[in-house]
Amino acid sequence: MKLYGYWRSSAAYRVRIALNLKQLTAEHISVHLVNNGGEQHSEVYHQLNPSDLVPTFIDNNGSGEINLSQSLAIMEYLDEKHPQQPLLPRNIEQRAIVRSMAQAIACEIHPLDNLRVLQYLVNEMGVSEADKMRWYHHWIHLGFAALEQQLSQYSGRFCFGDTPSLADICLIPQVYNAKRFNLELAAYPNIVRIWDECNKLTAFADAAPEQQYDAT
Amino acid sequence: MKLYGYWRSSAAYRVRIALNLKQLTAEHISVHLVNNGGEQHSEVYHQLNPSDLVPTFIDNNGSGEINLSQSLAIMEYLDEKHPQQPLLPRNIEQRAIVRSMAQAIACEIHPLDNLRVLQYLVNEMGVSEADKMRWYHHWIHLGFAALEQQLSQYSGRFCFGDTPSLADICLIPQVYNAKRFNLELAAYPNIVRIWDECNKLTAFADAAPEQQYDAT
């Protein structure tokens, strides 16, 4: 298995946590999202992943190579291929709740606040630094406020009950990102508590950006 | 089953197609996204769905009511609960490819171009109509260009082989939306072809916005 990622990419961070929870080892290949005009736009990487986004995940099952993009698809693949330490509950209703929490982050917060969008706002639309940060905080606050309500209903030690799931895996990189941009988290006691709980686990701690070989 | 949606919401449109493919009937409840300051922000709807987004899906399984947001989570729930006319292939690798295509739309295109984001650009950031449309087209073109390459590898009659899947269900509402905003699709022959194929099926045609009772 190979994972093309970047230490600060939230989506790559998610897949690193999933691999660690399942005690799977992948070769990590760094794609620097800033240097050299963004290595994700290089001809070589574009061949691998025409969306110019990280992560890209490659697996070789003997029957051939599979090349996957999209972190949620990669993690569900890992979960189906390697059922140990499941990332989703078995019960259909519970799986749906966990997926909806994960997607509330992956579809409603992260896409609006990732690097390429912030770059477009500044470089193509002439948005000021202050307005860029207002935008950034706006979407996280909206998303976290809604998620906090779901957590008050469903969380235990983790987002859904007492087992880490796809929801925690999406939440932790988003909180890491929010902290990096000095977002005030006091209004989200469940999110803060789950952040602390998750980071007690080596699977999460070892996946943190600063622990990666390409961190600078 | 109840589906709170809106005729023009891409995410509700997806769930309507999934229900139709599975020949399931739900009560459709309209949440007008524009009138009355946006009914999705009303106190009553906010109680149902704290993210103020459509759709919200309610099912009652006898053991209690389940309230789900996030269209992809709703559709995977339907697929697990009602396995007829599966929305994903059985093979793990193939499922992963279909999910990655669906998410390339649901996580990389739609979140950037949906109503609340376009409203924020104009109302909160003072972006001009022309720049708003440039933004809109930019993200669809980026996403469609990448998807077109995946389709040239995996598509048959539909996005993945000859069976409609979660990927087609996400694609069709996005193309509908693109056409509404006069996006030039000539560079995406596979996407245009699949649009035509899908709309030959009543499951897709009947889910189209103009066919809904709340269309105006």
Side-chain angles (χ1 to χ4, degrees), chain A residues 11-206:
Chain A
Y13 187 176
R14 293 176 196 155
V15 179
R16 291 196 301 261
I17 300 168
L19 288 165
N20 290 349
L21 281 170
K22 290 184 172 292
Q23 300 190 279
L24 296 169
T25 308
E27 179 187 353
H28 291 263
I29 300 156
S30 179
V31 180
H32 202 295
L33 298 189
V34 182
N35 285 357
N36 308 316
E39 294 176 358
Q40 72 277 28
H41 303 300
S42 71
E43 196 51 41
V44 173
Y45 189 74
H46 186 78
Q47 290 297 324
L48 267 183
N49 185 332
S51 70
D52 293 7
L53 293 167
V54 293
T56 301
F57 176 81
I58 311 274
D59 197 9
N60 198 314
N61 298 313
S63 59
E65 205 170 65
I66 181 170
N67 170 328
L68 286 177
S69 53
Q70 291 300 323
S71 62
L72 291 176
I74 295 166
M75 295 190 291
E76 294 241 16
Y77 169 85
L78 289 172
D79 208 32
E80 294 181 351
K81 207 80 184 175
H82 307 277
Q84 71 270 23
Q85 180 85 26
L87 306 179
L88 289 170
R90 289 217 178 148
N91 171 281
I92 294 177
E93 284 78 8
Q94 295 181 350
R95 295 161 74 76
I97 298 291
V98 170
R99 283 195 180 111
S100 78
M101 288 182 184
Q103 290 163 16
I105 298 164
C107 302
E108 310 301 345
I109 303 177
H110 179 250
L112 292 161
D113 282 347
N114 74 2
L115 180 68
R116 64 177 191 163
V117 172
L118 301 181
Q119 284 177 336
Y120 188 91
L121 285 173
V122 172
N123 299 339
E124 302 295 325
M125 298 183 94
V127 163
S128 68
E129 265 308 304
D131 273 356
K132 182 187 89 174
M133 289 316 299
R134 213 157 57 88
W135 162 282
Y136 179 90
H137 284 201
H138 176 74
W139 301 113
I140 299 209
H141 278 303
L142 262 191
F144 276 8
L147 186 65
E148 183 69 20
Q149 289 203 34
Q150 276 199 291
L151 293 175
S152 68
Q153 184 176 0
Y154 295 112
S155 71
R157 188 175 162 204
F158 298 105
C159 286
F160 189 88
D162 295 320
T163 310
S165 70
L166 221 47
D168 305 280
I169 294 175
C170 288
L171 179 60
I172 298 313
Q174 192 64 65
V175 174
Y176 170 88
N177 208 270
K179 284 175 172 277
R180 185 178 156 216
F181 286 102
N182 301 314
L183 188 111
E184 176 54 56
L185 291 166
Y188 315 117
N190 284 301
I191 290 176
V192 170
R193 179 178 57 73
I194 292 166
W195 161 266
D196 289 336
E197 281 302 321
C198 286
N199 282 314
K200 290 178 191 165
L201 304 181
T202 54
F204 284 81
D206 291 350

Side-chain angles (χ1 to χ4, degrees), chain B residues 51-71:
Chain B
S51 71
D52 293 7
L53 293 167
V54 294
T56 301
F57 176 81
I58 311 274
D59 197 7
N60 197 312
N61 298 313
S63 59
E65 205 170 64
I66 181 169
N67 170 329
L68 286 177
S69 53
Q70 291 300 324
S71 62

Side-chain angles (χ1 to χ4, degrees), chain B residues 30-43:
Chain B
S30 179
V31 180
H32 202 297
L33 298 189
V34 181
N35 285 359
N36 309 316
E39 295 176 356
Q40 72 277 25
H41 303 300
S42 72
E43 195 51 41

